[in-house]
Amino acid sequence: MVDQKTWESTVLQEFELPNGVKASNRIMRAATWMGQAEEDGTCSNTIFETYSKIRAGIVVTGFQYVMEEGQSVRRMISNSKPTDVEGLKRLAGIIHSSGGLAAAQLVHCGCKSLPKYSGNDIFGPSEMEVSGLKGEGVQVKAMTVDHVEEVTQAYANAAKRAESAGFDVIELHGAHHYGLWQFFDPSYNHRPENDPYTGTSIEGRSKAMVDAVRAIKNTVDIPIQVKVDSSSDTVKPEEVGELTKKLAEAGAYCVIFSGPNPTQKPKDLEDAYFLGDAMVIRSTVHDSGLLFGLVGGIRSPKTVIKLLTGNGDLAAAFDVIQLSRPIISEPALLRRWTEEAKVGTQEIARCISCNRCFAAGLKGGVRCVQFESD
Ligand SMILES: Cc1cc2nc3c(=O)[nH]c(=O)nc-3n(C[C@H](O)[C@H](O)[C@H](O)COP(=O)(O)O)c2cc1C
C-alpha cells in the first residue's frame, strides 16, 4: 500500500518533455497493437472508442507501419501514406481529450513482416531463413543499402505525418525482434565488414536505428523516444548501453527498456522483469542527458513507486514507466490507483498476464478475456 502523499509526489508528478510540453504524470500506456484498424490500416471507430477510455500521462499508440511492406500482423495502424493523416489526427485528438499526450509508435517489421503485404518478398538485414507464424521456414532477402535508406526516409515521412496530425511524441520501435532491432542483433545481421550496416561492429549494428532517429530529428520538432530490448540471447546489456549512448547523441530524449520476450508472466518471475538488465545498461550510460523508462510486468503501485524513486539507487530509478496489459484490462487503472491512494486501499492491477488479450486481437480485436463481462 502506498500512501496518498507518496503517490501524488511521485506518480502524479509532471513529466516534462525537452520542448517544455508536460505530461500530467509519469505513467505511459505502452504501445499496444489492438487489431482494431480497418484492413487497409485506417483508424476505425473501434480504435477511437478504445483510446477514449485510456487514462495515462502519455498514450503510445500500437505500432504504426511506415511502409506497406513492413506489416507483421493484420489490422495494424497505417502511417505510410498522406491519406492516413486524417484518421491519425482524430486519434491524437481523442487521446488529448482524455487528458494524455499522444505518442505515435513507428515500425518497419523487417524480416517479421508478412509476405502478403510485401509482394511475397520478405526483407531484413541479411539473407537467411526465419520461422514464420506457424513455425514454417520463411526465406528472407537482404535489404540493399538503398532499401535501408528508403526505410529510414519512410520513418521520417511517417513522423512528419504524425506531427501534422497533432502527436506530441514519436516512439521508434527498436525492440521485440522487429526491423531496427534486427540490424542491431548479430543473429539477424550478418552483413560484411565493408557494409555501412555491418553486423561486425557496434557502429554498423546501431546505424539503422541511429539514422532513423537522426532522420526524424531533422524532420520534426517533437521529441523522440526509442523502445529497445535490454538484452537478447545474442546481445549483452552492455552492448545496448553503447547503442543507448548513440541514440542520445542522435537526438533521442528518452529510451524505454523492454526485452525480446516482452509479454511474460510476472507471477512466474517477479514484477518488472527487465529491471536487472536495464540497471546494467543504466550503469554503463553516464551523463547522457537521457531520460529512462521501463516496461514489462509492472503490476503493483508499490513497484511503480520503487521504480520511480529507485529507493536511493540511481541505476534503479526511472523517469517514467510503461504499462500495456494492465491497461488493456483496466483502461482507467491510473484513476483507480489514484482514488484508492486517497482512502488507503490500493489493490494491484487485476491483469493476470494470461495473454489471451493478444489471441483475441487476431480474432476481432484485443480485449481482456479474463474479465470479459465488465
Ligand atoms: C496485445 C498486445 C499488443 C502489443 N503491441 C505492441 C506494439 O504495438 N508495440 C510494442 O512495442 N509492444 C507491444 N506490445 C508489448 C507491450 O508494449 C509491453 O512491452 C509488454 O506487454 C509488457 O508490458 P506489460 O507487462 O505491461 O503488458 C504488445 C503487447 C500486447 C499484450
Side-chain angles (χ1 to χ4, degrees):
M1 172 59 214
V2 177
D3 64 75
Q4 183 181 3
K5 200 166 145 228
T6 309
W7 186 256
E8 287 177 358
S9 64
T10 309
V11 179
L12 303 188
Q13 276 294 304
E14 282 182 340
F15 178 70
E16 185 166 349
L17 301 175
N19 56 359
V21 174
K22 289 177 184 157
S24 59
N25 61 71
R26 299 207 275 157
I27 306 260
M28 276 189 203
R29 193 281 164 87
T32 305
W33 160 80
M34 298 301 292
Q36 293 173 338
E38 306 290 358
E39 284 290 354
D40 68 353
T42 310
C43 289
S44 65
N45 286 335
T46 317
I47 288 203
F48 300 137
E49 199 188 323
T50 296
Y51 280 86
S52 70
K53 295 180 185 150
I54 296 171
R55 298 289 173 270
I58 298 183
V59 177
V60 188
T61 68
F63 54 178
Q64 305 176 2
Y65 57 89
V66 300
M67 285 171 80
E68 282 269 328
E69 65 171 33
Q71 297 172 70
S72 63
V73 64
R74 60 195 290 250
R75 294 182 183 271
M76 288 170 69
I77 297 172
S78 171
N79 183 343
S80 59
K81 53 189 186 311
T83 49
D84 292 329
V85 173
E86 204 183 312
L88 293 171
K89 200 172 188 171
R90 208 167 146 206
L91 180 55
I94 279 168
I95 295 172
H96 289 152
S97 307
S98 314
L101 297 183
Q105 192 191 54
L106 305 182
V107 74
H108 181 299
C109 295
C111 68
K112 283 178 86 176
S113 306
L114 296 181
K116 75 169 178 177
Y117 298 117
S118 57
N120 279 331
D121 283 335
I122 296 291
F123 294 98
S126 311
E127 191 164 322
M128 65 190 292
E129 194 176 286
V130 293
S131 89
L133 285 180
K134 293 176 187 145
E136 75 284 15
V138 174
Q139 196 53 45
V140 178
K141 290 190 170 170
M143 286 186 182
T144 61
V145 168
D146 282 352
H147 193 163
V148 186
E149 286 172 0
E150 195 191 331
V151 176
T152 305
Q153 187 56 46
Y155 276 113
N157 296 344
K160 187 75 199 161
R161 284 187 287 271
E163 183 185 49
S164 65
F167 279 86
D168 306 283
V169 175
I170 299 297
E171 181 174 290
L172 200 54
H173 198 341
H176 305 170
H177 290 218
Y178 290 116
L180 293 171
W181 178 265
Q182 289 159 20
F183 276 87
F184 189 65
D185 188 331
S187 67
Y188 293 95
N189 185 346
H190 312 144
R191 296 171 86 96
E193 215 162 325
N194 62 355
D195 185 282
Y197 304 94
T198 178
T200 62
S201 70
I202 291 277
E203 196 74 25
R205 288 162 50 192
S206 309
K207 185 172 164 56
M209 210 181 299
V210 166
D211 283 0
V213 171
R214 283 217 180 92
I216 295 171
K217 183 89 186 160
N218 288 336
T219 310
V220 298
D221 287 326
I222 53 177
I224 306 159
Q225 60 191 44
V226 188
K227 183 172 180 178
V228 296
D229 285 345
S230 45
S231 72
S232 76
D233 287 349
T234 41
V235 177
K236 296 191 184 71
E238 289 82 355
E239 295 174 293
V240 181
E242 293 309 306
L243 170 67
T244 301
K245 287 184 215 166
K246 291 181 190 303
L247 295 173
E249 283 161 19
Y253 85 99
C254 179
V255 173
I256 315 284
F257 299 116
S258 181
N261 182 5
T263 50
Q264 301 174 49
K265 294 193 178 179
K267 283 207 174 104
D268 296 346
L269 306 148
E270 49 189 322
D271 259 23
Y273 39 71
F274 297 123
L275 176 61
D277 280 348
M279 284 175 67
V280 176
I281 300 168
R282 292 289 311 278
S283 59
T284 67
V285 182
H286 305 289
D287 303 326
S288 60
L290 273 176
L291 301 181
F292 294 101
L294 188 69
V295 62
I298 300 166
R299 297 289 179 269
S300 81
K302 256 189 179 164
T303 305
V304 170
I305 298 291
K306 187 181 102 182
L307 295 170
L308 291 177
T309 60
N311 284 344
D313 177 355
L314 195 62
F318 294 85
D319 301 284
V320 69
I321 60 139
Q322 289 196 340
L323 304 171
S324 169
R325 289 165 292 173
I327 291 186
I328 294 173
S329 185
E330 297 177 85
L333 174 62
L334 174 61
R335 187 196 281 161
R336 168 163 81 72
W337 276 344
T338 299
E339 288 307 312
E340 289 176 347
K342 292 179 190 159
V343 290
T345 58
Q346 265 180 335
E347 297 286 337
I348 67 164
R350 70 180 189 177
C351 169
I352 58 164
S353 312
C354 62
N355 290 336
R356 285 191 288 158
C357 49
F358 193 87
L362 298 169
K363 296 189 200 127
V366 168
R367 64 184 198 284
C368 178
V369 177
Q370 180 71 15
F371 298 96
E372 191 129 49
S373 57
D374 289 15

